[in-house]
Amino acid sequence: MDATNESSEGAPFILLGLTTSPEQRRPLFGLFLVLYVAGILGNGLIVAAVRASPALRAPMYFLLAHLSFADLCFTSVTVPKMLANLLAHDRSISVAGCLTQMYFFFALGVTDSCLLAAMAYDRYVAIRHPLHYATRMSRAVCKALVGTAWLVSHVHSLLHILLMARLSFCASHHVPHFFCDHQPLLRLSCSDTRHIQLLIFTEGAAVVVTPFLLILTSYGAIAAAVLRLPSASGRLRAVSTCGSHLAVVSLFYGTVIAVYFQPTSRYEAERGRVATVMYTVVTPTLNPVIYSLRNRDMQGALRALFTGRRISAGDS
């Protein structure tokens, strides 16, 4: 390696962000600040409500609280840095900082994926096997599902970061993205990245595509059960609720699959940034609304949280 490459190896990365146009930075800052605050408040309130209310002790709420906590952390890994860079002149990030950001981004993203699958399984058992629900979704089972989600996600992330840390970046260090992500960094590397791309298409598929297929299967079974409900209004309400859940889930997985499950040579920076915004900002902001807006128990717990009134397990 020549002297130029040696000096370039330890140089920080420059995050080019969402746009290079100075006129667009302040409007984008305002938009994403609102979305970020809304997401933090929404997910934070769900975590607080589930912890404070005895009425929210069902497995669904236990899983929802963990999903909200993961979403809260997930957006905080990338959005604050993105907001700062929209206003700052220095948009650099050290190599260590870049790898750290990638580690938590991957870990929390996979945790989201596994928890969404666990929640779909919970609804499947509740609707298709109501008599066995208490045993199949006991507290021990819920803790095992959540523990597995967090463990698998961190093992997945550690494996990817150990491989990314071995890459050499001897060309440009300008990253056409608002955070350190796989595809744009692989495009900048002068090392052989085929082993990392192979890992994405194999092990990565196991923690993204497999949960998505499980969710689709669960919702398919739920839809079949819903269509047999005797009440037309009940069917309509159930279809509306499941439809909104499935729409957000499809947005999350669809954009993740579109970004990561393609050869690096075909990755387009502009389209990649737009798709990434969908699953890093939009879906974590929508999740509290989708999973709580029509839920009377959650609404009651949130009112009690704001008013300081204690709510019992029998209240709704």
Side-chain angles (χ1 to χ4, degrees):
M1 183 180 292
D2 59 28
T4 303
N5 287 349
E6 287 180 359
S7 63
S8 180
E9 279 295 306
F13 292 105
I14 307 298
L15 298 174
L16 299 182
L18 287 169
T19 180
T20 56
S21 171
E23 294 79 13
Q24 294 178 352
R25 287 178 184 167
R26 288 190 180 276
L28 286 173
F29 176 85
L31 172 63
F32 285 103
L33 178 62
V34 170
L35 290 174
Y36 178 61
V37 171
I40 291 295
L41 287 176
N43 286 299
L45 284 172
I46 287 178
V47 174
V50 172
R51 288 181 60 87
S53 174
L56 303 181
R57 290 293 179 262
M60 176 180 68
Y61 300 115
F62 178 78
L63 296 173
L64 178 59
H66 279 273
L67 177 68
S68 294
F69 177 73
D71 277 341
L72 191 154
C73 297
F74 186 50
T75 55
S76 296
V77 169
T78 58
V79 178
K81 178 66 174 175
M82 177 187 72
L83 291 173
N85 286 348
L86 283 170
L87 299 181
H89 293 292
D90 181 11
R91 297 187 291 277
S92 63
I93 183 171
S94 67
V95 174
C98 188
L99 291 174
T100 301
Q101 186 183 54
M102 287 180 68
Y103 175 85
F104 286 106
F105 177 78
F106 293 149
L108 291 163
V110 172
T111 301
D112 255 17
S113 176
C114 294
L115 289 175
L116 286 169
M119 291 175 68
Y121 174 72
D122 169 75
R123 292 298 84 203
Y124 167 79
V125 174
I127 292 175
R128 294 302 300 265
H129 305 284
L131 297 179
H132 302 285
Y133 181 73
T135 53
R136 292 194 181 186
M137 291 303 297
S138 65
R139 196 69 169 180
V141 171
C142 288
K143 288 181 178 179
L145 288 172
V146 169
T148 300
W150 286 100
L151 177 62
V152 167
S153 65
H154 282 277
V155 171
H156 162 86
S157 184
L158 181 62
L159 179 59
H160 280 266
I161 294 305
L162 289 175
L163 292 175
M164 292 293 292
R166 299 177 62 183
L167 297 180
S168 297
F169 298 94
C170 46
S172 170
H173 276 223
H174 288 74
V175 182
H177 215 316
F178 60 88
F179 72 101
C180 292
D181 199 9
H182 249 147
Q183 295 286 30
L185 286 176
L186 292 178
R187 290 289 297 269
L188 295 179
S189 176
C190 54
S191 302
D192 184 359
T193 63
R194 286 177 296 179
H195 56 297
I196 297 180
Q197 294 184 62
L198 179 62
L199 187 68
I200 293 173
F201 280 96
T202 54
E203 187 266 348
V207 296
V208 175
V209 178
T210 301
F212 185 40
L213 293 177
L214 289 174
I215 292 171
L216 292 179
T217 302
S218 295
Y219 274 102
I222 290 170
V226 165
L227 292 176
R228 292 196 294 269
L229 291 175
S231 168
S233 61
R235 288 197 300 269
L236 182 61
R237 186 167 57 251
V239 168
S240 176
T241 300
C242 290
S244 59
H245 290 184
L246 194 56
V248 175
V249 165
S250 299
L251 178 64
F252 176 80
Y253 284 102
T255 50
V256 168
I257 291 170
V259 169
Y260 294 107
F261 294 92
Q262 63 173 314
T264 302
S265 59
R266 294 179 56 188
Y267 176 78
E268 296 181 18
E270 186 172 353
R271 291 177 61 184
R273 286 194 299 268
V274 174
T276 304
V277 165
M278 293 297 108
Y279 62 82
T280 57
V281 183
V282 176
T283 55
T285 302
L286 289 177
N287 277 338
V289 178
I290 295 299
Y291 287 103
S292 306
L293 186 62
R294 301 176 186 178
N295 189 301
R296 287 181 295 177
D297 289 335
M298 180 61 72
Q299 291 172 0
L302 289 172
R303 283 194 298 268
L305 192 66
F306 282 115
T307 60
R309 179 176 63 88
R310 292 190 61 83
I311 184 169
S312 69
D315 294 338
S316 61

